[in-house]
Amino acid sequence: MSSFTEKKNLILRNLQEVLGEDKLDVILKERDLKIYWGTATTGRPHIAYFVPISKIADYLKAGCEVTVLFADLHAYLDNMKAPWELLELRVQYYEHSIKAMLTSIGVSLDKLKFVRGTEYQLSKEYTMDVYRLSSSITEHDAKKAGAEVVKQVDNPLLSGLLYPGLQALDEEYLKVDAQFGGVDQRKIFTMSEKYLPQLGYAKRIHLMNPMVPGLAGGKMSSSEVDSKIDLLDSPATVKKKLKKAFCEPGNIVENGLLAFAKHVIFGLFEPNEKFKVSRNEANGGDLNFSTYEDLEICFSEQKLHPADLKASIEFYINRLLDPIRQIFDKPELQKLVANAYPAPVKPKKTDKNNTNQQEEISPSRLDIRVGKIVEVSKHPEADALYVEKIDLGEEQPRTIVSGLVNYVPINEMQDRLVVVLCNLKPAKMRGIESSGMVLCASIENNGIKSVEPLEPTEGSKPGDKVFVESYEQGEPDKILNPKKKIWEQLQVDFKVSNSCEAQWKSNNLMTNAGKILSKSLKNVNIA
């Protein structure tokens, strides 16, 4: 490909933002662009990785030299999401996975360079530049740069503040013209543009992909199982997850399926290949779309049913995953997967003859969900209690009794989204059985008590799972045994931070849509 215009169009298509387009034009008129894309080797790669991978395919078609960085050191620095003992295994898994993805979409590995961060980030020269950068960048700028990438806690580790600076230095040490990443890394990119010149290094071009919604409508997350499809999921599992995927008729905004079609499927089509929707004649027969725009218009006008769109996406996802499944069918790679991402250890059953045996107490044992109060009234036998009917995504609303009369007016309770602990043993409260507890921020000063129900992020819906970051694995107990006081042991570490974020041991409470918050109370307990 020799046309400047064709190369530039391939490099920029489907991106959300570009910093340094003028410099891009100058380089492209002289030679091919050198780009790097980095990925921290933490959670297991899932199909959302096809979004950057398909852009890497665009860059290669445009003649770019592409380096893929396996950021193993960054993975550790990001609040220790991956322990050192697993990092080497996870780097190996990422390398095999990304190579398999590139093979799946027909990209030649000969044109790519794969680098591990620790191959150069532990060198004397790089270390000296880390010190030089640390003497220039302020704590405020470092924290701001990593705000959307590095896990935020009340008392951040120094490692998380170093993370953005190291990513900036990677641009110089990989000798590239541009860095490619998600728009969530924009603050790191702008920090890089500010501080690299202070070290005598050139300002780089930054190419940013949009954040693509997951199957549940929010961000596609490794930590939320139903929001993403793993690269090694079976066809049956793909079908099951797509069946649950959020796909509201006519909604083209919060639609992870359409986003995947736009950013991955259409970009990988051969010339003249069309997106096919198979339908029986009774439903109008097959549809074929030459462009994503045609597909989007058809769906927005509700001429394409969500079930038919899901069936088509299922076909194309399995077409992408089949080569990867075959590659990972080898025994040595199966073993690598098991060792790199070991299954969570289940608590051992209590030995009746060994009273000293300890049972694991983890927040993953709590069944916490988003609920919507669909009906509320005052308790007929207790002035301080509300009786609520709460939709928790089950067949029938649950009855839950809460002592909130003195803190929240009844009109503010109706139709309110709340956070509910669902697996407490049902208990009668002044004659009415309560099957759960509305979680609240709470504090008492000088005999005056303040209480606020926790609030899910906008976009959460009844039945959404609430999880604690870093404790996503494991199944909740069906019913918490009151004799073992599991909730009581965990509750002491549930707090609201000074930024109104609900946390357990400084790990955020989340839904797939985002964080759980208090309205105004800070640095208080959750009860």
Side-chain angles (χ1 to χ4, degrees), residues 153-185:
V153 295
D154 282 345
N155 298 301
L157 298 173
L158 181 60
S159 58
L161 298 177
L162 288 174
Y163 185 114
L166 269 62
Q167 186 169 336
L169 287 173
D170 290 340
E171 297 177 346
E172 173 65 24
Y173 279 79
L174 292 172
K175 302 302 177 186
V176 295
D177 306 307
Q179 183 178 174
F180 164 59
V183 73
D184 60 333
Q185 299 186 67

Side-chain angles (χ1 to χ4, degrees), residues 456-514:
T457 296
E458 184 178 353
S460 300
K461 54 187 182 298
D464 280 357
K465 176 183 176 183
V466 177
F467 57 92
V468 176
E469 278 189 315
S470 303
Y471 293 88
E472 298 89 349
Q473 303 299 322
E475 291 295 320
D477 292 13
K478 188 173 182 180
I479 293 291
L480 296 172
N481 188 334
K483 293 182 179 179
K484 296 182 179 179
K485 299 190 179 299
I486 294 167
W487 165 241
E488 289 77 5
Q489 293 181 65
L490 292 167
Q491 184 183 0
V492 294
D493 292 307
F494 277 93
K495 310 281 185 182
V496 174
S497 72
N498 60 10
S499 53
C500 294
E501 296 165 333
Q503 299 179 335
W504 185 80
K505 290 188 175 181
S506 297
N507 297 281
N508 289 325
L509 270 69
M510 305 280 294
T511 69
N512 191 47

Side-chain angles (χ1 to χ4, degrees), residues 213-218 226 241-249 251-258 299 306 309-310 459 461 512:
L215 302 181
D226 283 341
K241 289 182 177 178
L242 286 176
K243 188 176 181 180
K244 295 180 179 179
F246 177 76
C247 191
E248 185 178 51
N251 185 344
I252 61 173
V253 179
E254 299 175 341
N255 193 318
L257 303 181
L258 284 176
F299 189 82
L309 176 62
K310 288 183 179 184
K461 54 187 182 298
N512 191 47

Side-chain angles (χ1 to χ4, degrees), residues 109-127:
L109 302 182
D110 296 336
K111 299 177 182 179
L112 284 167
K113 181 165 67 173
F114 296 91
V115 176
R116 298 185 186 196
T118 47
E119 291 176 17
Y120 65 89
Q121 289 167 348
L122 300 178
S123 68
K124 177 182 177 181
E125 294 77 15
Y126 189 91
T127 302

Side-chain angles (χ1 to χ4, degrees), residues 316-440:
Y316 289 109
I317 286 177
N318 281 318
R319 191 167 80 171
L320 287 170
L321 297 186
D322 277 341
I324 301 173
R325 295 175 184 131
Q326 292 174 19
I327 290 170
F328 275 86
D329 203 32
K330 301 172 184 176
E332 61 269 26
L333 292 185
Q334 298 262 329
K335 183 178 179 181
L336 173 62
V337 175
N339 290 336
Y341 296 95
V345 178
K346 294 182 179 179
K348 296 180 180 179
K349 293 182 178 179
T350 304
D351 184 349
K352 293 181 180 179
N353 297 320
N354 183 0
T355 56
N356 293 322
Q357 189 171 9
Q358 296 295 311
E359 185 175 21
E360 183 186 17
I361 305 297
S362 163
S364 62
R365 297 182 65 177
L366 305 177
D367 179 6
I368 306 177
R369 287 181 249 159
V370 174
K372 181 178 181 180
I373 299 175
V374 295
E375 183 181 322
V376 59
S377 61
K378 288 189 176 181
H379 195 298
E381 302 295 331
D383 292 339
L385 301 179
Y386 283 131
V387 179
E388 304 129 3
K389 299 285 187 181
I390 301 183
D391 177 8
L392 291 160
E394 300 169 323
E395 289 186 9
Q396 298 292 332
R398 286 200 194 191
T399 298
I400 294 178
V401 179
S402 304
L404 295 172
V405 171
N406 296 326
Y407 309 104
V408 185
I410 193 167
N411 63 304
E412 292 183 16
M413 292 291 288
Q414 183 67 40
D415 297 324
R416 184 187 191 118
L417 285 182
V418 290
V419 178
V420 179
L421 177 58
C422 298
N423 58 343
L424 290 173
K425 185 177 181 180
K428 284 194 174 182
M429 298 183 69
R430 301 293 293 268
I432 295 179
E433 187 171 81
S434 179
S435 299
M437 180 169 68
V438 175
L439 296 182
C440 301

